[in-house]
Amino acid sequence: MATFLYKLGRLSYRRRHFVALIWVALLTLAGVGAASAPAAGNSSFSIPGTEAQKAFDLLEQRFPGTSADGATARVVFKAPSGEKMTDPGNKATVKETVKELSDGSEVVRVTDPYQAKAVSKDGTIAYAQVSYKVSGMELDDAAKDALQDSAQDAREAGLTVEIGGDALQAVPHTGSSEIIGIAVAAVVLVITFGSLVAAGLPLLTALIGVGIGVSAITGLASALDLGSTTSTLAMMIGLAVGIDYALFIVSRYRAELAEGREREEAAGRAVGTAGSAVVFAGLTVVIALVGLSVVNIPMLTKMGIAAAGTVAIAVLIALTMVPALLGYAGRKVKPMGEKGKLLGRAKKQDKPAEPAKPNLGTRWASFVVRRPVAVLLLGVIGLGAAAVPAASLELGLPDDGSQPVSTTQRRAYDLLSEGFGPGFNGPLMVVVDAKDSDDPKAVFAETGDEIKGLKDVVTVMPAQPNKAGDTATITVIPGSKPSSVTTENLVHGIRDAGAGIKADTDANVLVTGSTAMNIDVSEKLNDALVPYLVLVVGLAFLLLIVVFRSILVPLKAALGFLLSVMAALGAVVAVFQWGWLSGLMGVEQTGPVMSMMPIFMVGVVFGLAMDYEVFLVTRMREAYVHGEKPTQAVVTGFRHGARVVTAAAVIMMAVFAGFIGSSESMVKMIGFGLAIAVFFDAFVVRMAIVPAVLALLGRKAWWLPRWLDRALPNVDVEGEGLRAASGDKDGERELVGG
């Protein structure tokens, strides 16, 4: 592989005009496609195999034209202080608003609060429910504008009016903090390279890669039903890995220049050595992201595949466009040890090969190998303490109650809770399929009576049968808020009661609605976590055996990852569920952790953790193979790789942290979780626990059974093929890392 990538790097350097033209053309093509495509909305949500989804599908069959998955809006009215919604003036305003809401072409029906008895007991709050033919993603802007205009007219008449439901779903925005994250990355690159040109290359290539990936996602959003969150997460991951991969190759290029090689040769060797590590690091990220498809949740599968595609583009750009741009930069990218005037450094010294004073990476690694037990215990105990809150992890999906208080959806949620109780925001829809029963009406009545006898039930609406009379819907209002454990227990209680009704009457009782769907999603994700871990970690473990030609090193890498991801989950629980530092993070409402968070974090963090493992440990292996003692090989790896890996980790943390400013709670939570996970993994696991474990294991760390050594393919990550081909005599020269 190293030889092939070496040739690719030299070719890209020589044919830089052609390579640059190809990537610019791809960016232009993707941009044109994105500009001409329909705007992305929120992806339609389906969970194959769950009871809630089966009930939705049944409603589509038995209640044709009702659009079970159509958008809904709850227009909530509150009377001025000292007045009631039943006062003639207020009642007339509501009646006029209901009439205006009914005029839309996409409106199926609007309930009148006074006919539907949707007025609170104290008479101060009422609501009208608007049902639409299409989902919130497909709802026209004109329909949304009409909804808001009607509410505004009622406000001008003196009422407090807020709108809940999914009809006004907005595309999330990330805010200025995303720009700050990129700015921090730029500062770190300038400090690392001491040159604006060298620092600009990773940023430029990463932005081009993300531009192509996100534009492609935007262009295909309508055809493939990709939500706006998909492109945001692809941008987040693509930026982070794109900057890091280019950083490693530029650093390796400067190291080759410092050894006296010509620039084209240095570009070829940079791609042949550090590029090999980029390929395998990218593969682990792609495996982890594509592996999300095993959960069988279409939205999560699309998010994973889209992000994996962006990572693949980042790898290709690092292998081709980076050497091409190095050709354009020429002497403006200086050899390692020679800084530009930007940081006030002198020109290249006569003997730049080895500084007299050991660098920080060397000093830290020497400290760790002298005290491996103490460092190992401190690292493991520290991560274990950070992971403690994870034991209290509660999973759920966001509802309007998790929205910022500045939104009308959240204010409508609070008004409904005030007037009708917290459970009113998460009504359960019970679908009774009595097609095979002798007396459907009796079954509907029996089902309602059974549900009334369950705990935490406030209201059971009368059954609403379809035209055929064989299927009915029953609306159940819980006493607790939608995301509570009590409501989850009620859903299971209704389903248990339905099993008894099925045995007696052959009728199927299914529970659906957004609350039940959220519960089913959380349970499905929990059930899929262990198989996903086995698949992803297993495949990556085999890949790392090929890379490191060792059993214990990949095993140590996987165990270290589990430590870092558990600590990161603990931090997420502490902030988003317990409320620690919530003000600093902009978390206005604490509650259950996003049910997708653990499995998504496992996938992404595992791939990113293996990046640092590959970049850092391949240099240690190369030193060990060339005769250094195991502890000295650890120090050598840190001498050449610690600075760059540290810069890469800080950059990745900055990029992820930039998404904490998002208005989308899922993006905010994932941005924080990934940023803290990279911190734990890079600075505690890879920089402390890994060298301590390798120092304790000694030569055993690099043990591999002979039969397996013969069976494994030689991928030559260390670049031995380049050494042999060039006839280098200095077997101790650096070939990996940078």
Side-chain angles (χ1 to χ4, degrees):
M1 173 178 286
T3 303
F4 169 76
L5 293 178
Y6 164 76
K7 294 177 180 178
L8 178 63
R10 293 196 62 169
L11 178 65
S12 299
Y13 187 95
R14 286 198 310 271
R15 306 295 184 188
R16 48 186 172 272
H17 302 309
F18 181 68
V19 172
L21 182 62
I22 289 177
W23 284 112
V24 170
L26 288 174
L27 178 62
T28 303
L29 183 64
V32 170
S36 59
N42 287 290
S43 178
S44 59
F45 200 74
S46 64
I47 313 296
T50 61
E51 179 173 317
Q53 187 62 47
K54 291 176 182 177
F56 269 124
D57 296 339
L58 182 64
L59 287 172
E60 291 287 349
Q61 296 174 10
R62 304 291 175 83
F63 292 81
T66 57
S67 300
D69 60 346
T72 59
R74 280 183 171 179
V75 183
V76 188
F77 307 89
K78 184 175 182 179
S81 178
E83 299 181 17
K84 293 184 179 296
M85 290 305 303
T86 51
D87 293 347
N90 294 334
K91 191 171 184 179
T93 300
V94 172
K95 291 279 188 180
E96 181 62 29
T97 303
V98 169
K99 182 180 178 182
E100 291 180 14
L101 291 170
S102 303
D103 292 339
S105 60
E106 293 181 321
V107 175
V108 175
R109 64 181 176 275
V110 180
T111 60
D112 186 313
Y114 304 101
Q115 295 178 4
K117 299 181 180 179
V119 180
S120 63
K121 290 182 179 180
D122 63 3
T124 60
I125 297 174
Y127 75 91
Q129 181 155 312
V130 187
S131 300
Y132 293 90
K133 298 177 182 178
V134 297
S135 65
M137 180 186 66
E138 300 167 320
L139 197 61
D140 287 342
D141 290 339
K144 296 180 180 181
D145 292 340
L147 177 62
Q148 293 175 318
D149 291 343
S150 298
Q152 185 59 37
D153 291 342
R155 291 190 188 103
E156 292 174 357
L159 298 178
T160 298
V161 186
E162 304 295 347
I163 305 172
D166 59 355
L168 292 182
Q169 287 177 332
V171 176
H173 59 85
T174 54
S176 60
S177 55
E178 178 189 350
I179 307 293
I180 296 174
I182 297 176
V184 171
V187 171
V188 173
L189 287 169
V190 170
I191 294 174
T192 303
F193 291 138
S195 164
L196 286 175
V197 174
L201 288 179
L203 279 175
L204 177 61
T205 54
L207 290 173
I208 291 174
V210 167
I212 294 173
V214 172
S215 295
I217 291 170
T218 304
L220 296 172
S222 179
L224 301 181
D225 192 22
L226 303 177
S228 55
T229 303
T230 303
S231 59
T232 304
L233 295 176
M235 180 190 303
M236 180 192 304
I237 296 170
L239 267 178
V241 300
I243 294 174
D244 276 7
Y245 294 164
L247 166 65
F248 284 109
I249 289 183
V250 173
S251 298
R252 185 67 192 92
Y253 171 76
R254 297 177 68 235
E256 291 291 344
L257 289 179
E259 293 188 2
R261 292 191 172 89
E262 295 295 328
R263 293 186 177 272
E264 182 179 328
E265 176 70 9
R269 283 181 168 265
V271 176
T273 51
S276 297
V278 166
V279 169
F280 281 100
L283 272 176
T284 59
V285 180
V286 169
I287 287 172
L289 291 170
V290 174
L292 291 170
S293 58
V294 303
V295 184
N296 195 27
I297 294 179
M299 186 182 76
L300 194 59
T301 299
K302 293 170 185 175
M303 287 166 55
I305 292 176
T310 308
V311 172
I313 293 172
V315 171
L316 292 174
I317 282 185
L319 298 178
T320 57
M321 192 170 188
V322 169
L325 292 181
L326 288 172
Y328 283 118
R331 297 187 179 277
K332 292 180 181 179
V333 177
K334 301 182 181 300
M336 185 170 290
E338 179 182 350
K339 301 287 186 178
K341 296 180 180 179
L342 182 64
L343 297 181
R345 298 292 184 91
K347 290 187 177 181
K348 184 176 179 180
Q349 301 170 359
D350 294 336
K351 295 181 179 180
E354 192 70 35
K357 182 180 179 181
N359 62 21
L360 182 59
T362 302
R363 296 197 299 273
W364 169 250
S366 300
F367 170 80
V368 173
V369 298
R370 287 197 306 270
R371 298 174 179 81
V373 175
V375 172
L376 178 61
L377 288 177
L378 187 61
V380 171
I381 292 172
L383 290 179
V388 168
S392 303
L393 177 67
E394 295 178 8
L395 298 178
L397 286 177
D399 53 28
D400 285 346
S402 63
Q403 296 272 6
V405 293
S406 58
T407 62
T408 186
Q409 293 94 329
R410 171 60 188 278
R411 292 195 293 266
Y413 180 97
D414 292 340
L415 284 176
L416 287 172
S417 296
E418 177 187 340
F420 301 93
F424 204 80
N425 284 291
L428 305 176
M429 180 181 290
V430 179
V431 182
V432 185
D433 178 8
K435 190 174 183 179
D436 297 329
S437 300
D438 297 332
D439 189 353
K441 289 185 178 180
V443 172
F444 302 153
E446 179 184 348
T447 302
D449 292 339
E450 285 282 344
I451 295 173
K452 288 177 183 177
L454 298 176
K455 293 182 179 179
D456 200 49
V457 173
V458 173
T459 305
V460 178
M461 303 290 188
Q464 301 292 322
N466 62 350
K467 290 183 179 180
D470 58 6
T471 307
T473 60
I474 301 174
T475 300
V476 180
I477 307 299
S480 303
K481 63 181 182 179
S483 58
S484 68
V485 176
T486 307
T487 301
E488 181 178 347
N489 292 336
L490 175 59
V491 170
H492 290 301
I494 296 174
R495 288 172 175 172
D496 291 340
I501 295 173
K502 168 73 173 176
D504 295 338
T505 65
D506 289 330
N508 289 318
V509 177
L510 306 174
V511 185
T512 188
S514 60
T515 301
M517 181 69 82
N518 290 352
I519 292 170
D520 287 350
V521 170
S522 297
E523 292 179 352
K524 187 164 187 174
L525 287 166
N526 283 338
D527 294 341
L529 184 57
V530 173
Y532 175 70
L533 269 174
V534 171
L535 172 69
V536 173
V537 176
L539 288 176
F541 180 77
L542 295 176
L543 183 66
L544 293 178
I545 289 178
V546 174
V547 174
F548 295 128
R549 308 194 79 78
S550 164
I551 298 293
L552 295 179
V553 171
L555 180 61
K556 171 264 307 169
L559 293 176
F561 150 74
L562 291 176
L563 273 175
S564 59
V565 79
M566 288 303 298
L569 278 176
V572 169
V573 170
V575 173
F576 290 89
Q577 188 175 310
W578 292 359
W580 294 5
L581 301 177
S582 57
L584 181 63
M585 298 297 166
V587 180
E588 297 186 22
Q589 179 69 32
T590 59
V593 172
M594 198 84 55
S595 56
M596 293 184 185
M597 186 67 189
I599 200 164
F600 192 84
M601 181 182 283
V602 164
V604 176
V605 173
F606 182 79
L608 300 180
M610 295 307 103
D611 280 5
Y612 303 121
E613 184 76 14
V614 169
F615 286 122
L616 198 57
V617 180
T618 47
R619 186 60 186 89
M620 299 178 190
R621 169 175 162 74
E622 190 250 344
Y624 174 76
V625 167
H626 291 126
E628 292 188 10
K629 294 181 180 180
T631 54
Q632 183 57 40
V634 171
V635 176
T636 299
F638 269 76
R639 182 172 72 248
H640 294 292
R643 178 184 175 89
V644 178
V645 168
T646 299
V650 172
I651 288 169
M652 197 170 282
M653 288 167 55
V655 172
F656 287 148
F659 288 84
I660 295 175
S662 173
S663 63
E664 179 72 30
S665 58
M666 180 176 180
V667 175
K668 180 190 292 286
M669 190 179 293
I670 288 178
F672 171 79
L674 294 183
I676 198 70
V678 168
F679 171 78
F680 287 144
D681 196 86
F683 294 106
V684 181
V685 174
R686 308 303 153 191
M687 290 290 184
I689 293 177
V690 165
V693 171
L694 291 178
L696 289 172
L697 290 175
R699 296 183 183 277
K700 295 178 182 178
W702 307 105
W703 171 79
L704 186 70
R706 291 184 179 179
W707 63 268
L708 184 56
D709 188 37
R710 291 192 297 267
L712 291 177
N714 183 14
V715 296
D716 189 21
V717 176
E718 294 84 5
E720 282 298 312
L722 302 183
R723 185 189 306 275
S726 63
D728 284 345
K729 300 299 182 182
D730 184 7
E732 299 304 316
R733 286 200 300 195
E734 175 191 6
L735 283 176
V736 176

